[in-house]
Amino acid sequence: FFLTKSFNNRSHRIVFKYVYSNQETLAFQHNSPFSPFNTRIGTMMRKPKPRSFNPLFAFAAMPARKKLVCLTTFLLVSAVTINNLFDMGIPEDDIYDANHLNRAQNRPQVDLTLELKDEVKKIEKKPKEKPASVRTGDASKKNTSDTEDGESDAESDAETTDETGDGSIYFDDTAYDDDDMDDIISDSAALLRAYDIEEKLEQISDSDALHDWTAPQGRAFQWIVNEDARMVHAEDPYLIQRYALAAIFFATNGKSWHNGDLHWLSGVHECFWTKKVKGRPMGVVECNDDRRVTYIELVENNLQGSLPKEIGWLDHLISLDLQENRLTGTIPTTLGNIPSLKNLFINSNSFYGTVPSQLGNLANLTLLLLDTNELTGTIPDEICTLKNHSHLYSLWVDCDGSPKSPVECNCCSMCCDGLGYCLTPDSYGDLDDAVSYDDIL
């Protein structure tokens, strides 16, 4: 409260102020510079010290209900923060379960060591008009009489095959239509599906590699037919994409990846073959609206072996980041078949041989990092044309002239020494200007 007393003298006014904070203080204020109180104001006034906010004291003073609300909020925020920094696994697994396409788990295994075409010819059938979904062609049909022992007439109806004089084989694709995949239980339907998948994959892979069960292509084929829980069929629009990613997994020894399998080869769509590692997504990082893979990141993940040529069939890829691994072999020429590719990071590996000229077909390429490998030869003119007349503005190669960097390049942005330290072409010999890849990016 304030008490004010006014004197008749116009030049004097005494204000008595009672202030209560930590202690009682009596302050005298006077508005006249000639007041006798003026000399005593400094000694008689004492301002209260402001009390600093202490969250613990504030929390202790709260009612029980408010304490519960605050504590719950704090725990939820902490859990979200920790999940973003470190992969907890649980939320992601829920996503995978929600997107998992359940398939028949007791489907028969197909022996892929057999000649599938010959096995398909042996399937007994009964006469049936070829439906619209069956492959077209000149049909001079041969009809066999009886069905196999133990096979029902209904199964036989769904598994009609036709043979023409040119050796072509026709069968009803609806026998293993995607909508009815859960119902596949017969050996004949499984064999027809395997045969059709084989025909499709032979269009992109060598037949010998596809039937070599130690090769990445053969292992991927085996997985697609007999192990993949998603059970895609030959007409599935994502069959090639799924097969190419599986071939990459087997070719780079996916079981030994530092960060685990990153959900690769799981039963969900390939766009979910990803996992957060220390808050950073790894694996198939992005897909477009059509569920085509656009961004793969497998940095410092202990990839071993060579890249299969099937990687070139990921024709919607925009960024491929495989730096700091143990990849060897030559750079696949099929990478030049990906017109959408903008970023190609394969530095800090053990690739050898020459840089393929097919990379010059990548008109949208902006970043190309090839340094710290064992490459030799000369950078092709096609790539230099991209550097001088297209979007390619950064090209890193081991071209500084040292024994560990024997590549010749007339258009590189950075020439490296094979150990990770790089210079611009006009800074040779000036070690003070040397930078590493991490320093720049």
Side-chain angles (χ1 to χ4, degrees), residues 208-317:
D208 292 341
L210 197 64
H211 295 89
D212 182 356
W213 313 126
T214 62
Q217 294 82 358
R219 297 174 67 185
F221 178 37
Q222 181 78 245
W223 175 77
I224 286 282
V225 172
N226 287 326
E227 301 174 26
D228 185 10
R230 195 169 182 82
M231 285 187 68
V232 296
H233 58 86
E235 303 306 319
D236 191 296
Y238 306 106
L239 169 65
I240 301 299
Q241 175 176 272
R242 196 169 183 84
Y243 166 74
L245 291 173
I248 294 172
F249 180 86
F250 289 116
T252 59
N253 196 14
K255 294 296 185 181
S256 298
W257 288 356
H258 278 328
N259 298 307
D261 58 18
L262 304 178
H263 295 112
W264 284 45
L265 306 191
S266 61
V268 297
H269 190 274
E270 309 85 72
C271 289
F272 295 94
W273 288 3
T274 184
K275 191 174 184 180
K276 284 185 179 179
V277 178
K278 296 181 180 179
R280 180 179 180 180
M282 293 278 286
V284 178
V285 177
E286 291 182 8
C287 286
N288 60 19
D289 294 338
D290 296 326
R291 302 177 79 181
R292 299 292 182 178
V293 175
T294 59
Y295 187 176
I296 295 177
E297 180 172 336
L298 295 169
V299 178
E300 202 173 354
N301 199 33
N302 194 36
L303 274 67
Q304 306 173 42
S306 58
L307 291 178
K309 71 172 188 176
E310 286 74 16
I311 194 172
W313 287 91
L314 300 175
D315 51 4
H316 290 77
L317 203 60

Side-chain angles (χ1 to χ4, degrees), residues 193-212:
R193 168 179 172 267
Y195 172 70
D196 212 12
I197 291 176
E198 178 188 50
E199 279 194 326
K200 195 71 170 283
L201 298 184
E202 282 181 342
Q203 298 175 13
I204 66 172
S205 296
D206 297 333
S207 180
D208 292 341
L210 197 64
H211 295 89
D212 182 356

Side-chain angles (χ1 to χ4, degrees), residues 61-358:
M62 287 182 181
R65 288 186 178 181
K66 286 188 176 181
K67 286 183 181 179
L68 181 60
V69 172
C70 290
L71 184 60
T72 304
T73 304
F74 173 77
L75 293 176
L76 289 175
V77 172
S78 301
V80 171
T81 303
I82 293 174
N83 184 59
N84 289 334
L85 294 177
F86 304 98
D87 177 39
M88 302 295 289
I90 298 175
E92 290 185 345
D93 290 339
D94 290 342
I95 294 176
Y96 298 138
D97 291 340
N99 289 273
H100 187 84
L101 185 60
N102 292 321
R103 301 291 192 178
Q105 298 301 312
N106 59 345
R107 65 181 185 272
Q109 298 291 292
V110 178
D111 186 359
L112 298 180
T113 61
L114 301 174
E115 187 67 35
L116 294 183
K117 184 175 181 179
D118 293 339
E119 294 301 315
V120 167
K121 291 181 180 179
K122 296 177 183 178
I123 296 177
E124 297 294 336
K125 64 241 177 238
K126 59 189 297 185
K128 177 183 177 182
E129 181 181 357
K130 184 174 65 176
S133 61
V134 179
R135 300 174 184 177
T136 58
D138 294 333
S140 57
K141 300 180 181 179
K142 287 186 180 180
N143 298 326
T144 57
S145 56
D146 301 323
T147 61
E148 292 179 348
D149 294 339
E151 182 179 5
S152 66
D153 291 340
E155 289 176 345
S156 177
D157 289 342
E159 297 159 7
T160 301
T161 62
D162 303 286
E163 183 180 355
T164 63
D166 61 0
S168 300
I169 298 176
Y170 300 96
F171 55 89
D172 187 358
D173 287 274
T174 59
Y176 55 91
D177 195 315
D178 188 46
D179 295 334
D180 302 322
M181 192 64 70
D182 290 337
D183 298 326
I184 287 186
I185 54 175
S186 70
D187 293 340
S188 300
L191 181 61
L192 292 173
R193 168 179 172 267
Y195 172 70
D196 212 12
I197 291 176
E198 178 188 50
E199 279 194 326
K200 195 71 170 283
L201 298 184
E202 282 181 342
Q203 298 175 13
I204 66 172
S205 296
D206 297 333
S207 180
D208 292 341
L210 197 64
H211 295 89
D212 182 356
W213 313 126
T214 62
Q217 294 82 358
R219 297 174 67 185
F221 178 37
Q222 181 78 245
W223 175 77
I224 286 282
V225 172
N226 287 326
E227 301 174 26
D228 185 10
R230 195 169 182 82
M231 285 187 68
V232 296
H233 58 86
E235 303 306 319
D236 191 296
Y238 306 106
L239 169 65
I240 301 299
Q241 175 176 272
R242 196 169 183 84
Y243 166 74
L245 291 173
I248 294 172
F249 180 86
F250 289 116
T252 59
N253 196 14
K255 294 296 185 181
S256 298
W257 288 356
H258 278 328
N259 298 307
D261 58 18
L262 304 178
H263 295 112
W264 284 45
L265 306 191
S266 61
V268 297
H269 190 274
E270 309 85 72
C271 289
F272 295 94
W273 288 3
T274 184
K275 191 174 184 180
K276 284 185 179 179
V277 178
K278 296 181 180 179
R280 180 179 180 180
M282 293 278 286
V284 178
V285 177
E286 291 182 8
C287 286
N288 60 19
D289 294 338
D290 296 326
R291 302 177 79 181
R292 299 292 182 178
V293 175
T294 59
Y295 187 176
I296 295 177
E297 180 172 336
L298 295 169
V299 178
E300 202 173 354
N301 199 33
N302 194 36
L303 274 67
Q304 306 173 42
S306 58
L307 291 178
K309 71 172 188 176
E310 286 74 16
I311 194 172
W313 287 91
L314 300 175
D315 51 4
H316 290 77
L317 203 60
I318 295 176
S319 181
L320 178 63
D321 195 346
L322 304 177
Q323 56 185 310
E324 298 184 30
N325 281 291
R326 301 168 62 186
L327 294 171
T328 185
T330 58
I331 299 174
T333 59
T334 53
L335 286 173
N337 300 335
I338 310 177
S340 58
L341 193 60
K342 292 183 177 180
N343 304 323
L344 179 58
F345 303 149
I346 55 176
N347 54 300
S348 301
N349 281 284
S350 298
F351 288 106
Y352 56 78
T354 58
V355 178
S357 61
Q358 287 82 353

